[in-house]
Amino acid sequence: FSQHSSLLRTKLDPTDFSAVISNLIHNAFEALNKRGSIEISLNENGDDIVVGIKDTGRGMPTHILDSVRMGQIGLSYMKAEGSGLGIPHAKKSVEAWGGSLRIESQVNIGTVVELTLPVARPPSQPASRLVGTRISERRRMEQPGLQFIEQNP
């Protein structure tokens, strides 16, 4: 896990965000086919937060990648079990939070998925409305982190 930022805030649904990240990491793990690596990054880029998931797995050919980028539902590449709902769900969720999802892939090299989310200003609401994760627990130990603010409190 690499992180090159101080405390970052964004508005989103933390439960949905966990599902999106979990699915993307699971996809990366399945693409490894028992060898390779997965890198997860968290960076600040101007007014955006960029969460990256990069694997050194089998990658996707261009025709599959183009369908995935368009959010084609029901497309599951090289997986015995898969509904093909993960990437379309991730794209829809990230866009609902005001962000974007980018996927790059090369066969036998791997795949990079980047979620770009807008940075939120510090909340003017009570701290009880803030939702933290394990990352925010690390922040308490004076490490940088990511703080989620409920989008629809």
Side-chain angles (χ1 to χ4, degrees):
F1 182 82
S2 66
Q3 183 175 345
H4 304 287
S5 352
S6 58
L7 178 64
L8 300 173
R9 292 181 172 92
T10 191
K11 292 182 180 182
L12 49 72
D13 177 324
T15 302
D16 202 21
F17 180 76
S18 292
V20 166
I21 294 298
S22 175
N23 179 67
L24 294 174
I25 292 170
H26 184 75
N27 287 352
F29 180 76
E30 288 182 323
L32 293 180
N33 201 22
K34 300 182 183 176
R35 58 202 296 208
S37 63
I38 298 172
E39 179 182 324
I40 302 168
S41 60
L42 171 64
N43 296 292
E44 185 173 6
N45 183 9
D47 289 335
D48 293 321
I49 296 168
V50 181
V51 179
I53 300 169
K54 176 181 178 180
D55 69 62
T56 58
R58 66 176 73 97
M60 292 179 274
T62 304
H63 71 282
I64 298 293
L65 183 59
D66 290 343
S67 295
V68 168
R69 285 180 178 146
M70 291 186 326
Q72 181 177 336
I73 294 175
L75 179 66
S76 184
Y77 178 66
M78 304 269 311
K79 291 165 65 170
E81 296 179 27
S83 64
L85 298 175
I87 297 291
H89 171 256
K91 185 175 180 351
K92 181 179 176 183
S93 295
V94 170
E95 289 174 354
W97 303 324
S100 62
L101 183 142
R102 183 180 72 82
I103 303 175
E104 298 296 329
S105 190
Q106 291 183 315
V107 174
N108 298 320
I109 303 233
T111 301
V112 177
V113 179
E114 286 186 347
L115 310 177
T116 302
L117 299 164
V119 171
R121 291 192 169 77
S124 58
Q125 56 191 5
S128 63
R129 294 262 187 183
L130 297 179
V131 177
T133 66
R134 290 184 186 157
I135 295 172
S136 65
E137 290 171 14
R138 289 187 204 136
R139 182 182 46 79
R140 287 188 214 126
M141 296 185 291
E142 298 185 13
Q143 293 182 7
L146 177 63
Q147 185 176 38
F148 306 120
I149 302 168
E150 288 184 53
Q151 187 172 25
N152 296 314

